């Protein structure tokens, strides 16, 4: 008799797990709106937070890669704090910071959303280095940073573009206001700098495009 009762329960559990596994962002909870800061305007007391993954938490299958962001006005009533409860302020907010915003924004037409609380969340290594890490085992991701106001020499760009068949390459301006100080953590001394990462961490750091070519031709 017990086995007859357990079998339907097991089926329900398996069906629930299958449904959750079909949701790429199903691990997000409805009442915990988590995102990453993508813009900070201190002069205007404004923060923009990307909540794309949280917003897509109920979507199944292959989810379109569109972005969803919300503006958060920093008012005197809004509380900014760390996970341990200690208070913070807008000056501590940096691009890429993982945050929990209360209350969650529900889709209610005609109602202007107003946040009451921003909680700065601790971030794992993978979260901090997400933009640099390769997302495929056995492959690499190459990132090229230039200093703001500078441009990549054409000879360097041409050399690197010739490697696109061997590695995805991201070109970008180094963000001083990013949540991770890559310059300090990776001991970056000059720009432009070329960083090659696998799924776990840094494999090569160089300022010479020819060394990148040698790495992929080795």
């Amino acid at each position: 008799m017990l086995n007859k009762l357990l079998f339907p329960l097991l089926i329900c559990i398996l069906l629930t797990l299958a449904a959750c596994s079909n949701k790429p962002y199903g691990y997000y909870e409805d009442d915990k709106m988590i995102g990453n800061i993508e813009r900070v305007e201190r002069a205007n007391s404004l923060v923009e937070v990307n909540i794309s993954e949280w917003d897509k938490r109920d979507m199944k299958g292959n989810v379109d890669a569109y972005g969803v962001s919300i503006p958060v006005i920093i008012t005197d009533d809004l509380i900014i704090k760390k996970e341990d409860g200690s208070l913070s302020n807008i000056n501590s907010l940096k691009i890429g910071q993982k945050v929990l915003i209360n209350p969650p924004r529900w889709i209610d037409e005609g109602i202007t959303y107003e946040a009451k609380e921003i909680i700065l969340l601790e971030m794992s290594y993978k979260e901090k280095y997400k933009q640099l890490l390769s997302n495929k085992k056995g492959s690499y991701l190459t990132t090229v940073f230039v200093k703001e106001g500078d441009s990549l020499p054409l000879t360097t760009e041409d050399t690197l573009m010739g490697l696109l068949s061997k590695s995805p390459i991201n070109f970008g301006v180094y963000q001083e206001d990013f949540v991770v100080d890559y310059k300090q953590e990776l001991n970056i001394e000059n720009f432009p700098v070329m960083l090659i990462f696998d799924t776990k961490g840094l494999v090569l750091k160089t300022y010479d495009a020819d060394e990148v070519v040698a790495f992929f031709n080795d």
Side-chain angles (χ1 to χ4, degrees), residues 108-176:
D108 292 316
E109 293 185 4
I111 299 177
T112 302
Y113 173 75
E114 183 178 346
K116 301 296 183 183
E117 182 179 59
I118 296 178
I119 302 175
L120 310 185
L121 301 178
E122 294 294 328
M123 299 175 69
S124 67
Y125 173 82
K126 285 190 174 182
E127 288 173 329
K128 290 179 179 179
Y129 281 80
K130 183 178 180 180
Q131 64 174 323
L132 302 181
L133 289 168
S134 170
N135 59 12
K136 185 179 180 181
K137 191 173 181 179
S139 64
Y140 300 98
L141 174 62
T142 302
T143 300
V144 183
F145 282 131
V146 297
K147 189 165 59 175
E148 186 173 2
D150 290 348
S151 58
L152 193 66
L154 289 178
T155 53
T156 301
E157 183 177 349
D158 289 342
T159 299
L160 294 172
M161 292 299 286
L163 296 172
L164 283 174
S165 62
K166 299 183 178 181
S167 168
I169 302 178
N170 291 334
F171 297 88
V173 176
Y174 184 79
Q175 293 178 299
E176 295 286 352

Side-chain angles (χ1 to χ4, degrees), residues 25 50 52 56 59 62-68:
Y25 306 116
N50 187 312
S52 299
K56 302 172 186 177
M59 295 184 180
N62 296 322
V63 179
D64 291 339
Y66 64 86
V68 180

Side-chain angles (χ1 to χ4, degrees), residues 89-100:
N89 55 60
I90 190 173
N91 294 322
S92 65
L93 302 182
K94 293 184 178 295
I95 297 170
Q97 173 68 54
K98 183 180 177 182
V99 294
L100 168 65

